[in-house]
Amino acid sequence: MSLSPCPEKRHHLKLHCLADAVGRPVAFHLTGGEAADCKAYDDLIDLPEQAPDAFLADKGYDADAIRADLAERKIKAVIPGRSNRA
């Protein structure tokens, strides 16, 4: 989700949301609009009190480091691969 609080100055923000299994928001993280989505992962993954069974995200979170971290935590990665993923 991109927010532009000041359109004439072109400052953009991204709001990342962590949700539970039925889609209820649990936590939010705000980043600059130019930041890659995967940069919010470290802040989001440690927020819930109980580790999730799966991490569902868009391909902006498709990074080897994220997939490796999820595997180490025994969390299923439900992330579509980028077009250049082998």
Side-chain angles (χ1 to χ4, degrees):
M1 168 185 228
S2 292
L3 305 172
S4 183
C6 198
E8 63 277 358
K9 292 188 180 181
R10 301 290 183 229
H11 294 288
H12 295 278
L13 302 171
K14 287 183 185 175
L15 182 61
H16 305 267
C17 177
L18 183 66
D20 66 11
V22 293
R24 294 178 297 220
V26 174
F28 296 96
H29 182 67
L30 197 62
T31 63
E34 71 286 345
D37 287 345
C38 61
K39 300 295 182 188
Y41 171 79
D42 290 332
D43 293 317
L44 288 173
I45 196 65
D46 289 326
L47 289 176
E49 293 177 14
Q50 180 179 348
D53 295 326
F55 184 79
L56 173 67
D58 66 20
K59 63 184 175 182
Y61 289 86
D62 181 28
D64 292 337
I66 289 175
R67 289 180 180 276
D69 184 62
L70 290 170
E72 186 176 304
R73 295 171 186 252
K74 297 181 176 30
I75 298 172
K76 181 180 178 182
V78 184
I79 306 168
R82 295 183 312 255
S83 60
N84 62 351
R85 179 165 287 283

